[in-house]
Amino acid sequence: MKLYCEVEVISRHLPALGLRNRGKGVRAVLSLCQQAPRTQPRPRAGGERGGPHPACLFISTLKDKRGTRYEANSSSLKGFLSAVRLAHRGCDVAVPLSTLTPVKTSEFEKFKTKMVITSKKDYPLSKNFPYSLEHLQTSYCGLVRVDMRMLCLKNLKKLDLSHNHIKKLPATIGDLIHLQDLNLNDNHLETFSVALCQSTLQKSLRSLDLSKNKIKALPVQFCQFQELTDLKLDDNELIRLPFKMGQLRNLRFLSAARNKLPFLPSEFKNLSLEYLDLFGNTFEPPKVLPVIKLQVPLTLLESSARTILYNRIPYGSHIIPFHLCQDLDTAKTCVCGKFCLSCFIQGTTTMNLHSVAHTVVLVDNMGGTEAPVISYFCSLACYVNSCDMLK
């Protein structure tokens, strides 16, 4: 009978000597073993005689595979504890007992916290991944989808699926509640689902690498990754960034080089970055004339939407139709801080990227560090008050 656990051996004599225990357990295999029979049974405490074949605890670690034997005591889980209690009383133990043999290295695989696989031939097909993994890398394995066995690794903090052929991400990746680092570099992704953006990854994800895929746009809900600090979007087919990009308050590293971005969203100026790389995009020169889509008076839909958003009234598909939720999610933000749905003035200006990032990679081969930014105005008054910015 064996138990895989963390074990700390404590000596009760140390405090009397002015010493303390380590206070930290080690990964071990704890076995309930049969001792070799003796010619004379050893007396037990209280004068009783133990059975001819007493049991003992046997602890083996990765450094001590031959193990160390201890008298049986009651310090484990319920099932193991029951067997130990029976052994301590000298009774027959109704479970298979292990023999006193050195532990194999393979028995410690269950305690692995990191596994790196970089070829198809090393990819496990017939056995599960160790449940204790915190870092898993499976690169160059030819994966066309995410292995569902990975989604059972509830302790996973870093998942590297780079250099594969994955086309779609399952929403259940969001069930990895401790996941902080997700690397999907060099795959065949075309979209990033809204379900992932609304999963528990909102609170855990710190680093995301989506570079070298085929993504054309990210959903507006992408900006719900409030803990994200590092984002790599290089070498995709992005034609726009989420217009609520400025809500990523913790973002410090952003790389979106070699895409097809014509301009940046207006909230981009709210970012506070340490590093920014937008090299090789197809930025367009600012338009001289604005795009005017004002309506007077405002439609009932426009007026209602502005009221809901301005007063932060909760909404959802269980309250209003789903298409109205989508309209509210994609509402524009005026430079004055108010919102507009389909009634607005759209203008373009130029922003020096050093105003949002400490280190800026040149946006072109001409040494430029400026990029066009699109802005929205909820009324003619807001546009007139900001006309100096649009010159």
Side-chain angles (χ1 to χ4, degrees):
M1 183 176 184
K2 296 182 180 181
L3 183 67
Y4 301 89
C5 57
E6 287 192 359
V7 172
E8 179 187 0
V9 179
I10 299 176
S11 173
R12 298 180 180 178
H13 298 291
L14 291 182
L17 300 174
L19 301 175
R20 292 191 299 180
N21 290 286
R22 291 179 55 199
K24 185 179 180 181
V26 295
R27 299 283 188 177
V29 177
L30 184 61
S31 307
L32 186 61
C33 301
Q34 192 85 46
Q35 290 191 21
R38 300 184 180 183
T39 54
Q40 295 293 332
R42 185 175 60 179
R44 297 183 59 194
E48 298 179 3
R49 308 287 289 187
H53 304 291
C56 66
L57 286 180
F58 198 69
I59 301 177
S60 302
T61 65
L62 192 57
K63 293 183 179 180
D64 180 19
K65 296 177 184 177
R66 296 191 64 83
T68 303
R69 185 175 62 190
Y70 295 90
E71 292 296 326
N73 58 71
S74 54
S75 60
S76 194
L77 298 175
K78 184 176 180 181
F80 199 80
L81 180 62
S82 299
V84 171
R85 186 180 295 113
L86 291 173
H88 186 65
R89 293 174 180 174
C91 302
D92 292 334
V93 179
V95 294
L97 299 179
S98 305
T99 57
L100 292 174
T101 57
V103 176
K104 299 178 181 179
T105 302
S106 59
E107 294 191 60
F108 289 92
E109 287 186 357
K110 293 184 178 180
F111 303 129
K112 279 186 176 180
T113 58
K114 181 178 181 179
M115 177 180 283
V116 177
I117 304 170
T118 56
S119 66
K120 289 184 180 180
K121 64 181 181 64
D122 295 328
Y123 192 82
L125 297 175
S126 59
K127 62 179 182 179
N128 291 329
F129 296 100
Y131 70 91
S132 57
L133 283 181
E134 297 179 2
H135 178 183
L136 174 61
Q137 177 180 347
T138 54
S139 302
Y140 301 100
C141 295
L143 299 178
V144 296
R145 63 179 64 89
V146 177
D147 192 330
M148 300 305 289
R149 293 177 296 170
M150 299 176 184
L151 307 181
C152 298
L153 305 176
K154 299 305 181 182
N155 295 320
L156 208 59
K157 295 181 179 179
K158 183 175 183 179
L159 179 59
D160 187 341
L161 299 172
S162 59
H163 307 292
N164 283 292
H165 308 296
I166 298 172
K167 296 182 179 180
K168 187 177 181 180
L169 298 176
T172 44
I173 285 185
D175 296 335
L176 299 174
I177 60 175
H178 298 295
L179 191 64
Q180 299 178 4
D181 190 327
L182 179 58
N183 188 346
L184 296 162
N185 171 48
D186 193 16
N187 276 279
H188 296 165
L189 296 174
E190 296 182 359
T191 60
F192 194 88
S193 71
V194 173
L196 273 180
C197 299
Q198 297 176 334
S199 68
T200 56
L201 295 182
Q202 288 182 7
K203 299 180 179 179
S204 65
L205 197 63
R206 303 289 191 276
S207 178
L208 177 61
D209 189 346
L210 295 173
S211 54
K212 294 186 179 179
N213 279 279
K214 300 178 181 180
I215 300 174
K216 295 182 179 180
L218 295 172
V220 64
Q221 293 84 358
F222 185 87
C223 299
Q224 295 179 10
F225 289 122
Q226 295 296 311
E227 303 301 321
L228 199 63
T229 59
D230 294 67
L231 177 59
K232 296 180 180 179
L233 301 169
D234 304 313
D235 299 294
N236 275 278
E237 300 175 9
L238 289 172
I239 57 174
R240 66 175 183 271
L241 293 175
F243 63 88
K244 293 187 178 181
M245 197 82 177
Q247 294 183 1
L248 298 175
R249 303 295 185 184
N250 290 314
L251 193 64
R252 295 295 176 264
F253 182 102
L254 174 60
S255 183
R258 294 173 297 279
N259 279 280
K260 300 178 181 179
L261 298 174
F263 50 78
L264 301 177
S266 58
E267 290 195 20
F268 195 88
K269 59 181 178 291
N270 295 331
L271 294 175
S272 180
L273 305 172
E274 296 177 5
Y275 179 91
L276 175 61
D277 184 1
L278 296 174
F279 177 81
N281 280 281
T282 55
F283 288 129
E284 298 177 356
K287 296 180 180 179
V288 177
L289 298 177
V291 177
I292 301 176
K293 294 185 178 181
L294 292 177
Q295 287 179 295
V296 180
L298 295 177
T299 64
L300 180 59
L301 175 61
E302 182 76 24
S303 181
S304 302
R306 293 189 181 192
T307 300
I308 290 173
L309 294 170
Y310 182 76
N311 293 285
R312 299 184 179 181
I313 299 174
Y315 63 88
S317 56
H318 62 289
I319 301 175
I320 59 177
F322 178 71
H323 71 277
L324 294 180
C325 293
Q326 288 183 312
D327 290 340
L328 292 171
D329 287 340
T330 56
K332 284 79 174 173
T333 304
C334 176
V335 294
C336 71
K338 295 181 180 180
F339 300 92
C340 41
L341 209 62
S342 57
C343 181
F344 55 81
I345 297 177
Q346 176 183 310
T348 311
T349 185
T350 300
M351 179 181 69
N352 192 316
L353 298 178
H354 279 292
S355 63
V356 296
H358 182 268
T359 301
V360 177
V361 176
L362 303 180
V363 298
D364 53 38
N365 292 323
M366 303 300 292
T369 58
E370 293 186 341
V373 177
I374 194 167
S375 299
Y376 295 95
F377 307 91
C378 64
S379 65
L380 183 60
C382 282
Y383 175 72
V384 172
N385 292 334
S386 304
C387 62
D388 290 338
M389 179 184 69
L390 295 174
K391 287 182 179 179

